[in-house]
Each structure stands twice: as C-alpha cells, then as structure tokens.
Amino acid sequence: MSVLKRAGMAAVAVAALVVPAGAVVGTATPAAAAGGTVQGCPYGAVCIYPQNAGWNGGHPSLFYYSYGAHNLSNQVGTHRIFNNQSGGATMRTCTGYNGTGCQGYLSPGYYIDKDLTPINSITLQP
C-alpha cells in the first residue's frame, strides 16, 4: 500500500489531490525547506531512494530534472519517491514504458513510498 506524505516533521492536514479511483492518499505535513535541498534531493528534482531505505540518510539513488517520461530499470520493491520540483510541477508513476499507463499525481513537496515492481517509467510535467 502506498502512502503519500509531505516532506517535513508534524502532520497538520489531509492531502487533497486529484487521483484516480483506488489510489491511496495519506496525511500531509509541512515541507522541511521551501526552495532548497531536502533529504539530499536538490530543489528542482524528483528523487528516488533505494529499496526499503526510507530517506536513506539523505542519499537518493536516482535524480530526475527534465520534464517528460523517464524509463526505469531494475527498480523493484518499495522505494521512496520525493517531488522537490518548483512551480507546481507534478510527477506520475506509469506501468508502461515512455510514460504510458500513468497513475495519480505527486505534487511538489510530497513523497510517496511505492512498490516500483510494476512501474516502468515516471513522468515529470509542469
């Protein structure tokens, strides 16, 4: 089960997102830093952390900066994905390659712990 959260410390609200039926939405907390590096993820990037490692001591294993589809390889099990993009840019996980079969939207400042076994790509969009 995936849980969507806002990067930070204290829970203050329930996330209200546009997500497809059956998607799981969790609680939101305020961002630890607006406009800066958070948990090793540079501002403007979407970061994926190693399998079953949470924030991995602030060391993401993958960084994505450009809009569009990005194919994944050898990413199985549960990984933390953090959207540290700017200007309202969102990211999506997709079951197909090249950004097909996408699901949900992850807003800036939020992270999700997600099983990437069935995920073959992600998309970043403004």
Side-chain angles (χ1 to χ4, degrees), residues 69-84:
H70 302 275
N71 291 329
L72 303 178
S73 62
N74 301 316
Q75 300 299 307
V76 297
T78 301
H79 294 257
R80 180 156 292 167
I81 304 171
F82 176 52
N83 183 357
N84 200 21

Side-chain angles (χ1 to χ4, degrees), residues 42-110:
Y43 187 61
V46 168
C47 298
I48 299 178
Y49 295 80
Q51 181 182 7
N52 299 322
W55 292 112
N56 193 40
H59 295 95
S61 54
L62 299 169
F63 303 83
Y64 298 95
Y65 292 94
S66 60
Y67 293 142
H70 302 275
N71 291 329
L72 303 178
S73 62
N74 301 316
Q75 300 299 307
V76 297
T78 301
H79 294 257
R80 180 156 292 167
I81 304 171
F82 176 52
N83 183 357
N84 200 21
Q85 294 182 94
S86 62
T90 59
M91 72 80 52
R92 303 176 81 183
T93 56
C94 311
T95 55
Y97 288 102
N98 301 314
T100 60
C102 298
Q103 46 197 223
Y105 287 91
L106 187 64
S107 297
Y110 285 85

